[in-house]
Amino acid sequence: MIQLFPVVSVPTAGVCTGGAPNAPVRLQDCSLTCKSGEYFDLELLQCHDCPPGTYSLGGMVRHEIWDQLPDGFSVLVEPLTSRSSFSMLERERSFTNCSKSEWQTRGDYIAFPGGSCVATLVYTVRLIQAGALRYTYQYPDDDTIFEFQAQNELCQSVSSGGDEIRWPTVTEEGKWRTSKSIQLPAGLNVLQWKAMGISGRHQTKPLLIKSIEVSGVADPAVSTSCTPCRNGTHAPGPRSRQCQDCPADSYSGRGATQCTRCDVKTSYASPGSGRCHKRPPCTQNDYFEVHSACDERNNTLVTYQWVEPRTCRDDLPSSAKLPSGAERRKCPPCNPGMQMDYTTGTCRFCPPGSISDGIRPCRSCPPSTAPNTGFQFLWWSALPGVMSSRCMSLEGYTGTGCTTAAAWLTSGDHLRTGHGHAPDSYLILSLKIDKGFRAGRGTVSFTFQLDCEGDCQFVFMQSSPAKGISVIQTWSGRAPKQHFSYSIPQNGSYTFNWAFQKQAWSDDSILPYSANGVQRLRLFDTDSARIDNINVTNTIEGGASVCLPCAQGADASGCIACPPGHYTEASTTRCQPCPANTVVLDPGVVGRSACINCGPGRISTDGKTCTTDCTPTVNGTRYDLRKIGSSFHEVRGSLLFTASGMQYFHVFNISLCGKVPVNCANNITFQSEGEPKSVKALVCRTTLIPSQSLDASGASSPLSTQSVTLGDHLLGITNEAQFGDTRVLEEFYNPKDLHVFFGTPTATKSCPKGRTTTVTLRCDADQPGAGQVTLPSRCPDGTCDGCHFHFLWSSSTVCPICGSQDIKVVKSECIAGEQNVHYLAPKYCLMADDVPGTKKVPCSTEIPFVVQLIIMGCVGTAILLCLTVFICWKRNRRLEYKYSRLARQRSSTPCSTSGNETTSSLKDNSNECETELVAAESCALDDDEDEEDEVSVTVPMKSFGLVNKIRSMTAYKSESGSPFETIQLTEAQS
């Protein structure tokens, strides 16, 4: 077998000159890189300038065209799972289709659309020297967790900068942000952008990355050639570091050195366009009104202007013409609380202490009254000074975005959105409240309607230094005229925003161009939003149209309010105290209706706030919750994790009685600039991500993020299954349980009515101390819908206080004049604090005088009864003796007669005889007669009992009328 070896000429310095092959060039360093605007020639082994129409970043690479994934990029996507294998949450997520949650290329950017999946954008790049990374992104929705990691080929973290680099900052909608420079070492680097829709909502705002730029790259495909300019850009000269966009009404192809002008009469092109577009006929939406300042006659001059850049033709027969000349119109009246300033031709708020209906000049309020200030906008000749409008674009279409037309236009009796902007642009109207609200309470209400052919969106938002940006309500598609009202959750400085977007970025039906070359964005140019009026009540600043009576007079700031817990009586305008356990939330309300009941289980000690002392009384039953309610309690939810090992879980902090608010802190900087890093509330939730790295002490501390409040206020404590709109979970309901309801009125995109939390307290003697908190079996994270949270707290310390009828009293033996009295409580209730478990009481062994009298009476009665029985028995003995003697006498002379009046007769054929005894003078012994010997005679009579004898004595008398008994004895009886 013949082996072939390459032949390489090795020159000797200064010997070889010319010839074939060419003389090799000796290089001192094989890692040579060229500067920006240069490329490395492999034949000459030296750097050359890039020709016109191309550019080079030298040792740097930039990715900003996302028609498809560039080389070196890959996308991974995986669903979330739960360790609660039998939970409904896992069953739902196990069937989650993550194909719609992966990173998607969108031409000018790459996007993560959201969803309950983890999507990772991976870029593998090798650096020949230490370099840096910068990327431009848009991260408007904090319901998505966005994480960046840089690792080497051994999966070791190589990025520095701490959590600020790992967790990018949230941005405003439509606003791009460029990250800080991230230093990368030489060698292989694996860059990962990981996004996770942790809330499970599918309507989250997309996460966008527009460009990624890395320096120190050793890529032959980049460093040995120049990159042609993309469509819509050009590089007029050599050694270009980047290409320039073509100006308006011009275009260019790939690798262009100059831009080509369009026929401005029939076509147009936006800056950076790769082609010219046909100009359609103009319509009424291509121009707008311009109102001048009102003059002394209260007239305004109305002119018309084309929307710039102008993209339509007005020379076609079907074209709408721009109205010529100027038209004078009557200025609409000023809004209530304002008056016309003819020096500037605009309306201004009345001075403090005065009012106006918007037509007449301002006038001062009468004594002991004050203006009811607020912002009431009914007429729109110009935007008030506290309001502003702007357009923000995602730059989703090449060369399009926001035009020079105003985002919101004033139209006399209403506001409407401007035309000519790209469908993905946000048209934002803002109202700023700097000084807050009187008494900390107020409302924002407005009337609007949406006229849309497509799937437009109208969003009402609020932002504050304490709470950041939050979406209150969202409407989609065509919407008839309607009124919306929102109550301010707490006092402070607010900015309220109304944002309108013609089409969402994710609508696949929207393409930059149609088949005939006309931009499709004009199809939605008629879509608009309209606002008729805006009303903000109870503000410190602003204007007023009416004066309110003051109970205690007025000062420069307004009415001198009644003391806390007092209301203003309508008839006398005096301060009157409210009933117990009521508060006054709005001092401007006159009458008894200003007193608001605190609700079940709550009390008020200052007349301003409703709270609980942790010893509520519900339906006559007292509870003592101080053992578990004086401090906070932590509850952990189910552990969720991805197939790659990324885990997270929710931690809930609960302050049952609210004496010490709980704190849910964020230790990563994903929040917006100026947004606090912690949330203080009665119930809050934090998302914890177990850290994979160790700190300086060698410990691994979890990362906390997305802290949200689940309950700012204690709403009530009751044993009813429902309180307001909140209902106890059926799994946790028991009529004997106690339910504590919390709520937060702050609306979110997924919870327009705010969030609520229900803590069910169950008496369980088998759970001592703090007991155990259980989450719903079907909802392992405490909620089934993300808005209503439920907890079951079982403990022996939440049992009701025992009543006097429930306590068992046990007394011990009396020793030395004292005895112990024990008070025992059953399992279903607790002993009150004022009832001791054991108490010593004095005692005595002497019988009380009353008892002695009772005993003496009883003894006397017993003796008397005994004597009576003895006497009766004695008499009975004597009577029996009498009978015995009579029987004995008869037995001795069976048929003899005695006495003058005794009559005897013998019957024929009979041995019997009848003897009639003379009545004796006495049947008893005389006092001086001795008792003879006892004679026992058996007399076969039916009954000789004492009772029958007495009955016979009373029922029978002899013929002579003697009351003594006469016994007739026959011969057989003897």
Side-chain angles (χ1 to χ4, degrees):
M1 182 175 61
I2 301 176
Q3 294 182 351
L4 300 177
F5 297 95
V7 178
V8 179
S9 60
V10 180
T12 302
V15 175
C16 291
T17 56
N22 295 332
V25 178
R26 184 180 299 274
L27 297 177
Q28 301 296 330
D29 187 4
C30 293
S31 61
L32 177 66
T33 59
C34 299
K35 298 179 181 179
S36 299
E38 298 179 345
Y39 73 100
F40 187 72
D41 192 334
L42 293 177
E43 294 184 358
L44 302 179
L45 299 181
Q46 58 184 351
C47 295
H48 288 281
D49 295 341
C50 289
T54 62
Y55 74 98
S56 172
L57 298 175
M60 181 184 299
V61 60
R62 179 190 296 127
H63 299 282
E64 56 185 1
I65 302 176
W66 303 97
D67 296 328
Q68 60 183 5
L69 278 179
D71 294 337
F73 283 85
S74 61
V75 171
L76 303 175
V77 62
E78 53 195 356
L80 294 171
T81 57
S82 170
R83 279 190 180 175
S84 301
S85 58
F86 297 101
S87 67
M88 178 178 291
L89 182 64
E90 182 188 10
R91 291 196 297 269
E92 292 177 354
R93 286 176 171 171
S94 61
F95 297 101
T96 301
N97 183 9
C98 291
S99 61
K100 295 183 179 181
S101 298
E102 62 183 0
W103 288 91
Q104 303 173 8
T105 56
R106 292 280 173 167
D108 288 340
Y109 51 78
I110 186 170
F112 169 71
S116 56
C117 296
V118 180
T120 306
L121 176 65
V122 182
Y123 178 35
T124 304
V125 60
R126 183 178 295 276
L127 306 185
I128 63 171
Q129 60 183 1
L133 164 71
R134 292 170 65 93
Y135 60 94
T136 302
Y137 68 95
Q138 191 175 127
Y139 177 24
D141 199 331
D142 59 4
D143 278 338
T144 298
I145 288 185
F146 185 29
E147 179 186 13
F148 170 78
Q149 291 182 353
Q151 299 175 340
N152 58 18
E153 54 190 357
L154 300 178
C155 296
Q156 297 173 340
S157 179
V158 297
S159 62
S160 59
D163 292 336
E164 188 175 1
I165 297 298
R166 182 177 180 182
W167 307 101
T169 304
V170 173
T171 65
E172 297 181 10
E173 288 195 62
K175 183 178 181 180
W176 294 100
R177 180 183 178 87
T178 301
S179 68
K180 293 184 177 181
S181 180
I182 304 171
Q183 301 301 315
L184 302 176
L188 184 66
N189 288 266
V190 180
L191 311 178
Q192 300 181 27
W193 291 266
K194 186 175 295 185
M196 176 171 56
I198 201 168
S199 69
R201 292 192 295 109
H202 295 280
Q203 296 182 350
T204 55
K205 291 295 181 180
L207 169 62
L208 312 178
I209 296 179
K210 184 168 68 171
S211 66
I212 298 176
E213 186 177 281
V214 182
S215 62
V217 177
D219 188 352
V222 175
S223 60
T224 60
S225 63
C226 297
T227 303
C229 294
R230 62 178 176 84
N231 294 338
T233 63
H234 69 288
R239 200 170 182 171
S240 296
R241 186 179 184 275
Q242 61 183 5
C243 299
Q244 304 174 9
D245 289 340
C246 290
D249 295 331
S250 64
Y251 72 98
S252 69
R254 183 180 177 88
T257 59
Q258 61 181 3
C259 299
T260 304
R261 294 283 298 175
C262 298
D263 184 357
V264 295
K265 182 178 180 180
T266 60
S267 60
Y268 75 98
S270 300
S273 295
R275 60 181 299 179
C276 293
H277 313 294
K278 183 179 179 181
R279 292 182 182 270
C282 292
T283 65
Q284 293 181 354
N285 294 326
D286 290 308
Y287 61 85
F288 59 94
E289 295 180 354
V290 178
H291 294 256
S292 66
C294 296
D295 56 19
E296 296 180 354
R297 297 181 179 180
N298 201 29
N299 292 326
T300 180
L301 190 64
V302 180
T303 58
Y304 298 89
Q305 294 182 2
W306 291 109
V307 173
E308 297 294 340
R310 183 178 169 188
T311 60
C312 64
R313 294 183 62 179
D314 60 349
D315 57 345
L316 298 176
S318 59
S319 299
K321 308 299 181 182
L322 184 70
S324 59
E327 178 184 357
R328 288 192 176 274
R329 296 180 186 174
K330 271 289 185 183
C331 288
C334 293
N335 289 304
M338 306 179 75
Q339 67 176 356
M340 178 63 67
D341 184 0
Y342 291 104
T343 58
T344 60
T346 58
C347 295
R348 292 188 176 184
F349 287 108
C350 292
S354 58
I355 61 172
S356 173
D357 57 2
I359 301 176
R360 291 171 292 183
C362 298
R363 65 183 187 276
S364 299
C365 285
S368 298
T369 62
N372 185 18
T373 55
F375 295 101
Q376 188 176 8
F377 301 124
L378 305 175
W379 303 99
W380 306 94
S381 59
L383 277 181
V386 294
M387 300 187 69
S388 61
S389 67
R390 67 186 187 278
C391 173
M392 300 179 67
S393 175
L394 293 177
E395 300 180 6
Y397 302 95
T398 303
T400 63
C402 298
T403 64
T404 57
W408 288 80
L409 301 175
T410 57
S411 300
D413 60 347
H414 68 276
L415 280 172
R416 64 177 179 88
T417 53
H419 298 284
H421 306 285
D424 62 347
S425 299
Y426 291 97
L427 307 180
I428 302 175
L429 178 69
S430 300
L431 169 61
K432 191 171 184 180
I433 310 295
D434 286 327
K435 298 181 180 180
F437 298 83
R438 289 179 283 119
R441 302 282 176 171
T443 59
V444 179
S445 59
F446 55 93
T447 303
F448 73 99
Q449 71 180 49
L450 304 178
D451 296 323
C452 302
E453 296 180 0
D455 188 20
C456 62
Q457 283 191 347
F458 185 60
V459 184
F460 177 51
M461 301 175 290
Q462 73 173 13
S463 62
S464 65
K467 296 293 184 180
I469 302 175
S470 60
V471 176
I472 298 174
Q473 186 74 358
T474 302
W475 297 268
S476 299
R478 183 180 297 273
K481 180 179 290 189
Q482 55 189 281
H483 187 76
F484 179 79
S485 181
Y486 172 69
S487 297
I488 307 301
Q490 63 184 34
N491 198 9
S493 175
Y494 287 91
T495 298
F496 298 99
N497 298 302
W498 294 262
F500 177 73
Q501 188 181 29
K502 297 178 183 178
Q503 282 292 324
W505 72 277
S506 58
D507 194 334
D508 295 332
S509 64
I510 302 178
L511 298 174
Y513 313 105
S514 63
N516 59 2
V518 179
Q519 285 189 306
R520 296 179 63 94
L521 63 87
R522 294 188 64 88
L523 295 176
F524 308 103
D525 202 33
T526 58
D527 292 0
S528 64
R530 167 175 170 158
I531 296 179
D532 291 333
N533 56 72
I534 298 176
N535 187 22
V536 185
T537 64
N538 217 32
T539 59
I540 296 177
E541 55 189 333
S545 58
V546 295
C547 297
L548 297 177
C550 298
Q552 300 188 122
D555 56 12
S557 61
C559 287
I560 300 176
C562 290
H566 290 67
Y567 68 94
T568 305
E569 190 175 7
S571 58
T572 62
T573 66
R574 293 181 179 179
C575 295
Q576 299 293 338
C578 286
N581 295 329
T582 60
V583 294
V584 177
L585 302 180
D586 187 0
V589 178
V590 179
R592 183 75 173 271
S593 60
C595 303
I596 307 299
N597 197 317
C598 284
R602 298 198 302 170
I603 62 174
S604 177
T605 58
D606 56 3
K608 296 185 297 182
T609 57
C610 291
T611 182
T612 177
D613 58 357
C614 243
T615 58
T617 299
V618 180
N619 293 335
T621 304
R622 288 199 311 127
Y623 295 84
D624 190 348
L625 309 177
R626 289 175 292 184
K627 293 183 179 179
I628 63 173
S630 299
S631 60
F632 76 93
H633 191 80
E634 181 180 288
V635 182
R636 291 199 174 193
S638 176
L639 180 63
L640 305 174
F641 60 95
T642 66
S644 63
M646 182 168 180
Q647 306 175 1
Y648 79 93
F649 57 91
H650 290 140
V651 173
F652 304 90
N653 290 331
I654 303 174
S655 177
L656 193 63
C657 296
K659 292 186 177 181
V660 180
V662 292
N663 184 28
C664 292
N666 298 325
N667 59 13
I668 61 176
T669 58
F670 86 99
Q671 67 277 354
S672 302
E673 296 180 1
E675 184 179 346
K677 295 186 178 182
S678 63
V679 172
K680 287 187 177 182
L682 301 184
V683 183
C684 61
R685 184 191 69 182
T686 300
T687 302
L688 293 186
I689 303 174
S691 178
Q692 305 295 330
S693 59
L694 302 179
D695 54 19
S697 62
S700 177
S701 58
L703 304 174
S704 61
T705 179
Q706 290 190 328
S707 297
V708 295
T709 173
L710 305 182
D712 291 324
H713 311 287
L714 175 65
L715 302 179
I717 304 176
T718 178
N719 51 16
E720 298 293 334
Q722 186 169 355
F723 183 82
D725 295 333
T726 306
R727 186 170 184 85
V728 178
L729 199 65
E730 184 177 357
E731 177 186 350
F732 288 167
Y733 178 69
N734 189 317
K736 297 181 180 180
D737 292 340
L738 189 67
H739 311 291
V740 185
F741 295 90
F742 299 91
T744 174
T746 303
T748 63
K749 190 180 302 181
S750 55
C751 304
K753 295 184 178 180
R755 295 185 176 98
T756 62
T757 299
T758 304
V759 180
T760 299
L761 304 178
R762 178 165 297 173
C763 176
D764 190 349
D766 298 329
Q767 296 287 345
Q772 181 182 5
V773 180
T774 306
L775 298 175
S777 58
R778 297 180 57 187
C779 311
D781 275 342
T783 178
C784 299
D785 57 4
C787 300
H788 304 285
F789 294 80
H790 304 272
F791 303 91
L792 175 61
W793 197 334
S794 302
S795 173
S796 60
T797 60
V798 301
C799 296
I801 302 299
C802 297
S804 57
Q805 70 279 3
D806 300 319
I807 301 175
K808 183 178 181 180
V809 181
V810 179
K811 295 183 179 180
S812 64
E813 183 181 1
C814 183
I815 301 176
E818 290 185 345
Q819 69 177 163
N820 292 327
V821 180
H822 303 276
Y823 300 92
L824 305 179
K827 289 186 176 181
Y828 59 82
C829 64
L830 298 176
M831 195 75 70
D833 291 341
D834 54 353
V835 178
T838 302
K839 183 173 64 174
K840 282 190 175 183
V841 297
C843 62
S844 175
T845 56
E846 296 181 357
I847 300 176
F849 178 72
V850 177
V851 178
Q852 292 180 10
L853 292 178
I854 295 174
I855 295 175
M856 292 174 62
C858 293
V859 172
T861 304
I863 296 174
L864 183 60
L865 290 174
C866 292
L867 290 174
T868 303
V869 172
F870 177 76
I871 294 172
C872 292
W873 174 80
K874 191 70 174 178
R875 292 179 63 85
N876 185 50
R877 289 281 295 176
R878 291 176 180 176
L879 187 60
E880 289 181 356
Y881 176 73
K882 172 70 175 178
Y883 284 122
S884 65
R885 289 188 64 185
L886 292 175
R888 186 172 56 186
Q889 291 175 2
R890 173 63 180 163
S891 62
S892 59
T893 57
C895 294
S896 62
T897 59
S898 61
N900 296 327
E901 297 181 0
T902 304
T903 302
S904 300
S905 62
L906 296 175
K907 296 182 180 181
D908 297 338
N909 301 325
S910 177
N911 293 326
E912 296 181 356
C913 63
E914 295 181 358
T915 304
E916 184 178 354
L917 298 178
V918 179
E921 296 179 358
S922 176
C923 291
L925 296 176
D926 295 334
D927 295 336
D928 57 350
E929 185 178 2
D930 295 331
E931 186 175 345
E932 296 182 4
D933 295 338
E934 180 179 355
V935 179
S936 178
V937 180
T938 301
V939 181
M941 298 180 67
K942 292 183 178 180
S943 177
F944 285 93
L946 176 62
V947 177
N948 289 334
K949 291 177 180 178
I950 297 174
R951 184 182 300 114
S952 62
M953 292 173 62
T954 59
Y956 176 80
K957 290 185 181 180
S958 63
E959 294 179 358
S960 60
S962 176
F964 299 102
E965 182 181 8
T966 301
I967 302 176
Q968 295 180 359
L969 298 177
T970 64
E971 184 179 7
Q973 288 177 330
S974 63

